[in-house]
Short mmCIF file of all heavy atoms in Angstrom, two decimals:
data_model
loop_
_atom_site.label_atom_id
_atom_site.label_comp_id
_atom_site.label_asym_id
_atom_site.label_seq_id
_atom_site.Cartn_x
_atom_site.Cartn_y
_atom_site.Cartn_z
N ALA A 56 84.74 85.47 13.40
CA ALA A 56 85.09 84.22 14.02
C ALA A 56 86.12 83.48 13.12
O ALA A 56 87.07 82.89 13.67
CB ALA A 56 83.86 83.35 14.25
N THR A 57 85.92 83.50 11.82
CA THR A 57 86.87 82.81 10.93
C THR A 57 88.24 83.43 10.99
O THR A 57 89.27 82.72 11.05
CB THR A 57 86.36 82.91 9.48
OG1 THR A 57 85.01 82.32 9.41
CG2 THR A 57 87.29 82.15 8.54
N ILE A 58 88.28 84.76 11.06
CA ILE A 58 89.54 85.49 11.15
C ILE A 58 90.30 85.14 12.45
O ILE A 58 91.47 84.81 12.47
CB ILE A 58 89.35 87.01 11.06
CG1 ILE A 58 88.87 87.38 9.70
CG2 ILE A 58 90.66 87.74 11.43
CD1 ILE A 58 88.45 88.86 9.58
N ILE A 59 89.54 85.16 13.56
CA ILE A 59 90.13 84.81 14.85
C ILE A 59 90.70 83.41 14.84
O ILE A 59 91.82 83.17 15.31
CB ILE A 59 89.03 84.96 15.97
CG1 ILE A 59 88.71 86.40 16.24
CG2 ILE A 59 89.54 84.33 17.29
CD1 ILE A 59 89.75 87.17 17.01
N ILE A 60 89.93 82.43 14.34
CA ILE A 60 90.40 81.08 14.39
C ILE A 60 91.59 80.83 13.48
O ILE A 60 92.50 80.09 13.83
CB ILE A 60 89.25 80.12 13.99
CG1 ILE A 60 88.13 80.19 15.17
CG2 ILE A 60 89.67 78.71 13.80
CD1 ILE A 60 86.82 79.57 14.74
N ILE A 61 91.62 81.48 12.36
CA ILE A 61 92.77 81.40 11.44
C ILE A 61 94.02 81.96 12.18
O ILE A 61 95.09 81.37 12.07
CB ILE A 61 92.51 82.19 10.08
CG1 ILE A 61 91.50 81.40 9.27
CG2 ILE A 61 93.85 82.33 9.32
CD1 ILE A 61 91.06 82.12 7.99
N ILE A 62 93.86 83.08 12.82
CA ILE A 62 95.00 83.68 13.56
C ILE A 62 95.49 82.75 14.63
O ILE A 62 96.71 82.50 14.77
CB ILE A 62 94.57 85.06 14.20
CG1 ILE A 62 94.35 86.09 13.10
CG2 ILE A 62 95.67 85.52 15.15
CD1 ILE A 62 93.79 87.43 13.59
N ILE A 63 94.57 82.17 15.40
CA ILE A 63 94.94 81.23 16.46
C ILE A 63 95.68 80.00 15.91
O ILE A 63 96.69 79.56 16.42
CB ILE A 63 93.68 80.79 17.24
CG1 ILE A 63 93.13 81.96 18.06
CG2 ILE A 63 94.02 79.59 18.15
CD1 ILE A 63 91.80 81.67 18.71
N ASN A 64 95.19 79.46 14.75
CA ASN A 64 95.80 78.32 14.14
C ASN A 64 97.22 78.66 13.64
O ASN A 64 98.11 77.83 13.79
CB ASN A 64 94.95 77.85 12.94
CG ASN A 64 93.75 77.08 13.36
OD1 ASN A 64 93.68 76.54 14.50
ND2 ASN A 64 92.75 76.95 12.54
N LEU A 65 97.40 79.88 13.08
CA LEU A 65 98.71 80.27 12.65
C LEU A 65 99.68 80.40 13.80
O LEU A 65 100.86 80.07 13.72
CB LEU A 65 98.60 81.58 11.87
CG LEU A 65 97.93 81.53 10.50
CD1 LEU A 65 97.74 82.91 9.94
CD2 LEU A 65 98.79 80.73 9.56
N ILE A 66 99.15 80.92 14.96
CA ILE A 66 100.02 81.04 16.14
C ILE A 66 100.52 79.68 16.53
O ILE A 66 101.68 79.47 16.82
CB ILE A 66 99.21 81.73 17.29
CG1 ILE A 66 98.96 83.22 16.97
CG2 ILE A 66 100.00 81.62 18.62
CD1 ILE A 66 97.98 83.85 17.87
N TYR A 67 99.61 78.71 16.65
CA TYR A 67 100.02 77.35 17.03
C TYR A 67 100.88 76.70 16.02
O TYR A 67 101.80 75.94 16.42
CB TYR A 67 98.76 76.51 17.32
CG TYR A 67 98.23 76.68 18.70
CD1 TYR A 67 97.38 77.70 19.04
CD2 TYR A 67 98.60 75.77 19.72
CE1 TYR A 67 96.92 77.84 20.34
CE2 TYR A 67 98.15 75.91 21.01
CZ TYR A 67 97.28 76.98 21.32
OH TYR A 67 96.83 77.06 22.65
N LYS A 68 100.61 76.95 14.76
CA LYS A 68 101.39 76.29 13.67
C LYS A 68 102.88 76.75 13.71
O LYS A 68 103.80 75.97 13.46
CB LYS A 68 100.78 76.62 12.34
CG LYS A 68 101.37 75.81 11.17
CD LYS A 68 100.61 76.16 9.87
CE LYS A 68 101.10 75.27 8.75
NZ LYS A 68 100.81 73.90 8.84
N PHE A 69 103.08 78.04 14.05
CA PHE A 69 104.45 78.56 13.93
C PHE A 69 105.14 78.74 15.31
O PHE A 69 106.34 79.01 15.33
CB PHE A 69 104.46 79.89 13.19
CG PHE A 69 104.11 79.79 11.76
CD1 PHE A 69 102.88 80.15 11.30
CD2 PHE A 69 104.98 79.21 10.83
CE1 PHE A 69 102.52 80.03 9.94
CE2 PHE A 69 104.62 79.06 9.49
CZ PHE A 69 103.43 79.50 9.00
N THR A 70 104.45 78.49 16.39
CA THR A 70 105.12 78.60 17.70
C THR A 70 105.23 77.24 18.38
O THR A 70 105.91 77.12 19.42
CB THR A 70 104.39 79.55 18.65
OG1 THR A 70 103.09 79.12 18.89
CG2 THR A 70 104.34 80.97 18.06
N LEU A 71 104.53 76.22 17.82
CA LEU A 71 104.51 74.91 18.40
C LEU A 71 105.16 73.91 17.42
O LEU A 71 104.81 73.96 16.25
CB LEU A 71 103.07 74.47 18.69
CG LEU A 71 102.81 73.41 19.72
CD1 LEU A 71 103.33 73.79 21.10
CD2 LEU A 71 101.31 73.11 19.86
N ASP A 72 106.04 73.14 17.92
CA ASP A 72 106.72 72.11 17.08
C ASP A 72 105.70 71.08 16.65
O ASP A 72 105.31 70.16 17.44
CB ASP A 72 107.85 71.45 17.88
CG ASP A 72 108.76 70.57 17.00
OD1 ASP A 72 108.22 70.03 16.01
OD2 ASP A 72 109.92 70.47 17.31
N GLN A 73 105.24 71.19 15.41
CA GLN A 73 104.16 70.30 14.94
C GLN A 73 104.56 68.83 14.89
O GLN A 73 103.74 67.95 15.17
CB GLN A 73 103.71 70.80 13.57
CG GLN A 73 103.10 72.16 13.51
CD GLN A 73 101.73 72.22 14.23
OE1 GLN A 73 100.80 71.60 13.80
NE2 GLN A 73 101.68 72.93 15.34
N LYS A 74 105.84 68.59 14.56
CA LYS A 74 106.34 67.22 14.47
C LYS A 74 106.34 66.62 15.88
O LYS A 74 105.92 65.43 16.08
CB LYS A 74 107.75 67.18 13.88
CG LYS A 74 108.29 65.76 13.69
CD LYS A 74 109.66 65.80 13.07
CE LYS A 74 110.23 64.39 12.96
NZ LYS A 74 111.57 64.43 12.36
N LYS A 75 106.80 67.35 16.84
CA LYS A 75 106.83 66.88 18.20
C LYS A 75 105.45 66.64 18.77
O LYS A 75 105.24 65.69 19.54
CB LYS A 75 107.63 67.89 19.12
CG LYS A 75 108.13 67.25 20.36
CD LYS A 75 109.24 68.15 20.98
CE LYS A 75 109.86 67.47 22.17
NZ LYS A 75 110.95 68.23 22.78
N VAL A 76 104.53 67.52 18.49
CA VAL A 76 103.13 67.39 18.94
C VAL A 76 102.57 66.09 18.44
O VAL A 76 101.91 65.33 19.10
CB VAL A 76 102.27 68.56 18.52
CG1 VAL A 76 100.83 68.30 18.81
CG2 VAL A 76 102.71 69.81 19.23
N SER A 77 102.84 65.82 17.10
CA SER A 77 102.33 64.58 16.48
C SER A 77 102.93 63.35 17.17
O SER A 77 102.23 62.34 17.41
CB SER A 77 102.73 64.58 15.00
OG SER A 77 102.22 63.44 14.37
N GLU A 78 104.19 63.39 17.52
CA GLU A 78 104.91 62.29 18.20
C GLU A 78 104.27 62.10 19.59
O GLU A 78 104.10 60.94 20.04
CB GLU A 78 106.39 62.59 18.31
CG GLU A 78 107.10 62.53 16.96
CD GLU A 78 108.58 62.98 17.08
OE1 GLU A 78 108.95 63.42 18.18
OE2 GLU A 78 109.29 62.93 16.06
N ILE A 79 104.03 63.19 20.27
CA ILE A 79 103.42 63.12 21.64
C ILE A 79 102.06 62.44 21.54
O ILE A 79 101.71 61.58 22.37
CB ILE A 79 103.37 64.53 22.26
CG1 ILE A 79 104.74 64.99 22.71
CG2 ILE A 79 102.38 64.54 23.48
CD1 ILE A 79 104.78 66.43 23.20
N LYS A 80 101.25 62.92 20.63
CA LYS A 80 99.87 62.37 20.54
C LYS A 80 99.88 60.84 20.18
O LYS A 80 99.11 60.06 20.71
CB LYS A 80 99.08 63.14 19.51
CG LYS A 80 98.70 64.52 19.97
CD LYS A 80 97.80 65.24 18.96
CE LYS A 80 97.40 66.60 19.47
NZ LYS A 80 96.59 66.56 20.67
N THR A 81 100.83 60.46 19.30
CA THR A 81 100.94 59.12 18.90
C THR A 81 101.40 58.25 20.14
O THR A 81 100.85 57.13 20.38
CB THR A 81 101.99 58.92 17.78
OG1 THR A 81 101.60 59.69 16.60
CG2 THR A 81 102.17 57.43 17.36
N ARG A 82 102.35 58.77 20.87
CA ARG A 82 102.85 58.08 22.02
C ARG A 82 101.80 57.93 23.12
O ARG A 82 101.64 56.88 23.73
CB ARG A 82 104.08 58.77 22.60
CG ARG A 82 104.70 58.10 23.85
CD ARG A 82 105.10 56.66 23.54
NE ARG A 82 105.72 56.00 24.69
CZ ARG A 82 105.82 54.69 24.83
NH1 ARG A 82 105.41 53.88 23.83
NH2 ARG A 82 106.40 54.15 25.90
N MET A 83 101.00 58.96 23.30
CA MET A 83 99.95 58.97 24.31
C MET A 83 98.89 57.88 23.95
O MET A 83 98.41 57.19 24.83
CB MET A 83 99.31 60.34 24.40
CG MET A 83 100.14 61.35 25.07
SD MET A 83 100.37 61.06 26.87
CE MET A 83 98.79 61.68 27.53
N LYS A 84 98.54 57.77 22.67
CA LYS A 84 97.60 56.77 22.20
C LYS A 84 98.15 55.37 22.48
O LYS A 84 97.41 54.44 22.93
CB LYS A 84 97.30 56.96 20.76
CG LYS A 84 96.41 58.16 20.44
CD LYS A 84 96.13 58.27 18.93
CE LYS A 84 95.30 59.48 18.67
NZ LYS A 84 95.00 59.65 17.17
N GLU A 85 99.44 55.15 22.27
CA GLU A 85 100.07 53.90 22.47
C GLU A 85 100.00 53.51 23.96
O GLU A 85 99.67 52.36 24.36
CB GLU A 85 101.51 53.93 22.00
CG GLU A 85 101.69 53.99 20.49
CD GLU A 85 103.14 54.12 20.10
OE1 GLU A 85 104.00 54.25 21.02
OE2 GLU A 85 103.41 54.16 18.87
N LEU A 86 100.35 54.49 24.80
CA LEU A 86 100.38 54.25 26.24
C LEU A 86 98.96 53.95 26.76
O LEU A 86 98.75 53.13 27.67
CB LEU A 86 100.96 55.46 26.97
CG LEU A 86 102.46 55.64 26.77
CD1 LEU A 86 102.89 56.97 27.36
CD2 LEU A 86 103.28 54.54 27.41
N GLN A 87 98.00 54.71 26.27
CA GLN A 87 96.58 54.49 26.68
C GLN A 87 96.12 53.10 26.30
O GLN A 87 95.42 52.47 27.10
CB GLN A 87 95.70 55.54 26.06
CG GLN A 87 95.80 56.92 26.65
CD GLN A 87 95.09 58.01 25.86
OE1 GLN A 87 94.53 57.77 24.79
NE2 GLN A 87 95.13 59.20 26.34
N LYS A 88 96.51 52.64 25.13
CA LYS A 88 96.11 51.31 24.65
C LYS A 88 96.81 50.23 25.52
O LYS A 88 96.15 49.22 25.86
CB LYS A 88 96.50 51.16 23.18
CG LYS A 88 95.97 49.89 22.53
CD LYS A 88 96.31 49.86 21.07
CE LYS A 88 95.80 48.58 20.43
NZ LYS A 88 96.12 48.49 18.98
N LYS A 89 98.11 50.38 25.82
CA LYS A 89 98.85 49.49 26.60
C LYS A 89 98.33 49.37 28.04
O LYS A 89 98.21 48.29 28.64
CB LYS A 89 100.29 49.82 26.62
CG LYS A 89 101.02 49.55 25.29
CD LYS A 89 102.49 49.92 25.36
CE LYS A 89 103.20 49.64 24.03
NZ LYS A 89 104.63 50.02 24.12
N SER A 90 98.01 50.55 28.63
CA SER A 90 97.56 50.64 30.02
C SER A 90 96.23 50.00 30.22
O SER A 90 95.86 49.56 31.30
CB SER A 90 97.61 52.04 30.53
OG SER A 90 96.65 52.79 29.91
N LYS A 91 95.43 49.97 29.16
CA LYS A 91 94.07 49.48 29.29
C LYS A 91 94.02 48.01 29.68
O LYS A 91 93.17 47.61 30.52
CB LYS A 91 93.32 49.68 27.93
CG LYS A 91 91.84 49.39 27.97
CD LYS A 91 91.16 49.73 26.63
CE LYS A 91 89.72 49.46 26.70
NZ LYS A 91 89.03 49.76 25.40
N ASP A 92 94.91 47.20 29.10
CA ASP A 92 94.90 45.78 29.39
C ASP A 92 96.08 45.31 30.26
O ASP A 92 96.26 44.09 30.42
CB ASP A 92 94.88 45.02 28.04
CG ASP A 92 93.73 45.36 27.16
OD1 ASP A 92 92.62 45.50 27.67
OD2 ASP A 92 93.93 45.57 25.92
N ALA A 93 96.83 46.25 30.76
CA ALA A 93 98.03 45.86 31.54
C ALA A 93 97.69 45.58 32.99
O ALA A 93 96.67 46.07 33.51
CB ALA A 93 99.03 47.04 31.47
N PRO A 94 98.51 44.74 33.66
CA PRO A 94 98.28 44.53 35.09
C PRO A 94 98.48 45.77 35.84
O PRO A 94 99.10 46.78 35.34
CB PRO A 94 99.43 43.49 35.38
CG PRO A 94 99.84 42.95 34.11
CD PRO A 94 99.60 43.99 33.06
N ASN A 95 98.06 45.82 37.06
CA ASN A 95 98.11 47.05 37.88
C ASN A 95 99.47 47.66 38.05
O ASN A 95 99.65 48.88 37.95
CB ASN A 95 97.49 46.81 39.29
CG ASN A 95 95.99 46.61 39.21
OD1 ASN A 95 95.31 47.08 38.25
ND2 ASN A 95 95.41 45.93 40.15
N GLU A 96 100.50 46.81 38.26
CA GLU A 96 101.83 47.29 38.48
C GLU A 96 102.40 47.95 37.20
O GLU A 96 103.08 48.99 37.21
CB GLU A 96 102.83 46.21 38.98
CG GLU A 96 102.91 44.96 38.06
CD GLU A 96 101.90 43.94 38.39
OE1 GLU A 96 100.89 44.27 39.16
OE2 GLU A 96 102.01 42.79 37.94
N GLU A 97 102.10 47.36 36.07
CA GLU A 97 102.54 47.96 34.78
C GLU A 97 101.72 49.16 34.44
O GLU A 97 102.19 50.11 33.78
CB GLU A 97 102.45 46.96 33.66
CG GLU A 97 103.49 45.88 33.70
CD GLU A 97 103.49 44.99 32.44
OE1 GLU A 97 103.13 45.54 31.36
OE2 GLU A 97 103.90 43.80 32.55
N LYS A 98 100.42 49.13 34.77
CA LYS A 98 99.51 50.27 34.50
C LYS A 98 100.00 51.55 35.11
O LYS A 98 99.99 52.62 34.50
CB LYS A 98 98.12 49.91 34.97
CG LYS A 98 97.08 50.97 34.60
CD LYS A 98 95.66 50.47 34.95
CE LYS A 98 95.22 49.36 34.04
NZ LYS A 98 93.80 49.00 34.30
N MET A 99 100.55 51.43 36.34
CA MET A 99 101.07 52.64 37.02
C MET A 99 102.24 53.19 36.30
O MET A 99 102.44 54.41 36.17
CB MET A 99 101.45 52.28 38.44
CG MET A 99 100.28 52.17 39.43
SD MET A 99 99.25 53.64 39.44
CE MET A 99 100.38 54.85 40.03
N LYS A 100 103.08 52.29 35.75
CA LYS A 100 104.26 52.74 34.93
C LYS A 100 103.82 53.53 33.71
O LYS A 100 104.35 54.63 33.43
CB LYS A 100 105.05 51.53 34.52
CG LYS A 100 106.36 51.89 33.74
CD LYS A 100 107.12 50.63 33.29
CE LYS A 100 106.36 49.96 32.15
NZ LYS A 100 107.14 48.83 31.60
N TYR A 101 102.79 53.07 33.05
CA TYR A 101 102.26 53.77 31.87
C TYR A 101 101.62 55.06 32.27
O TYR A 101 101.76 56.09 31.56
CB TYR A 101 101.22 52.87 31.16
CG TYR A 101 101.84 51.65 30.52
CD1 TYR A 101 101.19 50.37 30.66
CD2 TYR A 101 103.01 51.68 29.82
CE1 TYR A 101 101.73 49.24 30.09
CE2 TYR A 101 103.54 50.55 29.20
CZ TYR A 101 102.94 49.34 29.34
OH TYR A 101 103.46 48.21 28.78
N LEU A 102 100.86 55.06 33.35
CA LEU A 102 100.21 56.30 33.79
C LEU A 102 101.24 57.37 34.21
O LEU A 102 101.07 58.53 33.91
CB LEU A 102 99.35 56.01 35.03
CG LEU A 102 98.04 55.26 34.70
CD1 LEU A 102 97.29 54.88 36.00
CD2 LEU A 102 97.10 56.00 33.77
N ASN A 103 102.32 56.97 34.82
CA ASN A 103 103.42 57.91 35.21
C ASN A 103 104.04 58.53 33.99
O ASN A 103 104.35 59.70 33.92
CB ASN A 103 104.46 57.22 36.02
CG ASN A 103 103.96 56.89 37.44
OD1 ASN A 103 103.09 57.54 37.91
ND2 ASN A 103 104.57 55.88 38.11
#
């Protein structure tokens, strides 16, 4: 199991842009936080 998981992690590490993934996750958290307290019309914009 350890070997399999290390292999999978290496695949993601070298085939996925780690910097971009980090930016996406940060942006998603920001949007989720903004949409939580936003009015309905703005909430749809964040959801889109």
Side-chain angles (χ1 to χ4, degrees):
T57 303
I58 292 170
I59 289 284
I60 293 167
I61 288 174
I62 291 172
I63 292 172
N64 284 339
L65 289 173
I66 290 170
Y67 274 84
K68 191 175 182 70
F69 292 107
T70 62
L71 203 59
D72 189 330
Q73 296 292 294
K74 184 179 178 181
K75 200 163 186 177
V76 171
S77 183
E78 291 172 355
I79 286 174
K80 289 186 178 293
T81 300
R82 182 57 180 162
M83 287 292 281
K84 286 179 181 178
E85 290 174 356
L86 291 170
Q87 287 170 355
K88 187 176 180 180
K89 287 180 180 180
S90 66
K91 188 176 181 182
D92 301 319
N95 288 336
E96 57 272 14
E97 286 189 29
K98 187 173 289 186
M99 284 304 300
K100 182 182 73 174
Y101 293 135
L102 289 174
N103 288 335

